[in-house]
Each structure stands twice: as C-alpha cells, then as structure tokens.
Amino acid sequence: LICADWPARREHFVAASCALCPLSTEEARNNLICLVAQQTLLLQGGMGVLDKPLKGVKSEVSLSAFAFLFSEVVQYCQEGDDYIRRLTQLGHGVGKRLLELTAFRASNYKRETKIVNMLSFIQTTVWKHLFGKSATALEKITQQHNAYLIRDADNVLNRFVSPQSVNCAAFAGGIIEGILCSSGFACDVTTSADGRGVFFLISFEDAVIERDDRLQ
C-alpha cells in the first residue's frame, strides 16, 4: 500500500476495501487508514508493531512517513462536517492507549492524584514520548478556577500547515483529553493556534477541582 503514487490509488483501495467486506464506506476507510498506519510503521527486519517489545526499544519513526500518514488522517477527517471534532475524537482514543504504554515504560511511574502533577506528566514525559521534547509551558488560568493551559511553541502537527486554515494540533488536544479522562480527571480540551504556537486549554469538571482541593 505504501507507494509513490499512493494519493492517486487511495480511492481505489477504499473502494476495494468496501467491496471485500460488509462495512459502510466510512468504516472501510477507517480500517484502511489503520492498515496504512501499520504498514508505514513496520520496523526494519520485517518485525511488525505488535511484535515489538514494549520496553527498551527506540520508538522513533520517520518524520516524512508520519507526515504522509497524518495528512491522510486529516483529509479523512475533513470529509465530515466538523474536522476539529473528528480529529479530537481520534486523538482521544490514542490518548487512552498511550497512557497505558507510557506508564508501563516509565520505571518510576506512580498514579498521579493531583491535577498539577498529572499535567506536568503530560507536559514532560508524554510530550517527549510523542514529539521528542517537552511542551513549552504549563500555566494556570487565573480568570477561571478550573482551567489550565499547555503551550507548545513548535508542534510538529502544525509545522507544515497554516494554523489559520487547518488546526491539525486538535489531534494532540484529543490525546491530552484521552489521557486525563482515563486517569480520572474528567475535562474538555480546546485547541487553538497562532503565531506563538499551539495552545491547549484544559477545563476540568467541578468534581475534579473539589477533589483536588481536598488533597491539598
């Protein structure tokens, strides 16, 4: 599936996928994207992603391969009415699984019960796992009692696009939301971008804030 003229052949493979299995067009396209992802991320020597050990392995992929795959994901999401929501939903599922993997690989990981500690874990450990560096800043929004902000001055998801036209970093916002919700920190994450970078506004539910106050 990974070939030089993949964009021209994409619709052909989607149609073939629909014809071979009793799924809707959208379901078949989603399955096809997953298949392309698996083929793109194959390791050298023929070892697949599922055969790769969870610990002690360098987890980097080619930027060009990632950009190729992610562009297909964005185009898939843009076929709906609200591509931001669809990107966020895809990231949410990734976040839930990434939390398990990151916790397993971290030798000194402990379950965080406080908001700031959990956000610091995302800003540093999770961001380094995803993008090779920590996010630029973690801030408390003083005007809102339940809101925090993570800022990334150079997020790779928006590196090759204009954030004024397409905000691809909503996928990372979904990852943050998935990690937090799976950890017991129910919240909503809103992603925005401008010339200074990408901003992830995290608004926690009141029950989470009340619990955090009791733990102080």
Side-chain angles (χ1 to χ4, degrees):
L1 290 178
I2 303 303
C3 53
D5 59 343
W6 162 249
R9 296 190 179 188
R10 179 181 56 183
E11 295 304 324
H12 169 75
F13 283 116
V14 171
S17 177
C18 295
L20 291 174
C21 56
L23 299 174
S24 69
T25 302
E26 183 172 351
E27 289 173 323
R29 187 185 294 269
N30 197 20
N31 290 341
L32 183 59
I33 287 176
C34 293
L35 179 59
V36 173
Q38 184 180 22
Q39 295 298 318
T40 303
L41 300 179
L42 283 178
L43 301 178
Q44 291 183 355
M47 181 183 293
V49 174
L50 297 179
D51 300 318
K52 161 183 169 181
L54 292 177
K55 285 189 175 181
V57 176
K58 191 175 182 181
S59 57
E60 293 184 0
V61 298
S62 165
L63 178 59
S64 59
F66 169 78
F68 172 81
L69 172 62
F70 191 64
S71 68
E72 294 295 323
V73 173
V74 173
Q75 291 179 57
Y76 163 71
C77 291
Q78 286 181 316
E79 293 176 1
D81 296 331
D82 187 354
Y83 80 92
I84 292 291
R85 179 184 58 83
R86 301 184 76 184
L87 271 175
T88 302
Q89 289 176 341
L90 287 175
H92 192 281
V94 173
K96 292 194 296 185
R97 293 160 178 78
L98 182 62
L99 174 63
E100 298 176 359
L101 177 61
T102 306
F104 182 79
R105 283 181 172 174
S107 58
N108 58 344
Y109 175 79
K110 64 176 183 178
R111 184 177 182 276
E112 299 293 353
T113 57
K114 295 184 178 180
I115 291 176
V116 173
N117 293 344
M118 190 64 197
L119 292 177
S120 297
F121 170 73
I122 293 174
Q123 181 202 3
T124 55
T125 304
V126 172
W127 230 246
K128 287 178 181 178
H129 178 81
L130 289 173
F131 306 115
K133 63 181 181 63
S134 299
T136 306
L138 169 62
E139 305 171 7
K140 175 73 173 70
I141 305 299
T142 56
Q143 295 85 353
Q144 304 178 42
H145 74 286
N146 65 335
Y148 290 79
L149 187 74
I150 292 179
R151 181 171 67 89
D152 193 348
D154 181 28
N155 190 273
V156 68
L157 301 181
N158 273 2
R159 184 174 298 172
F160 306 111
V161 299
S162 170
Q164 285 73 30
S165 58
V166 180
N167 187 11
C168 299
F171 182 74
I175 293 177
I176 295 174
E177 187 176 282
I179 291 175
L180 290 172
C181 291
S182 299
S183 304
F185 298 87
C187 66
D188 290 317
V189 178
T190 304
T191 307
S192 59
D194 59 21
R196 298 175 297 164
V198 180
F199 302 87
F200 304 96
L201 178 63
I202 306 162
S203 302
F204 292 97
E205 294 184 358
D206 290 339
V208 177
I209 299 299
E210 292 171 1
R211 182 188 67 197
D212 194 67
D213 292 339
R214 292 195 299 269
L215 293 174
Q216 297 298 332

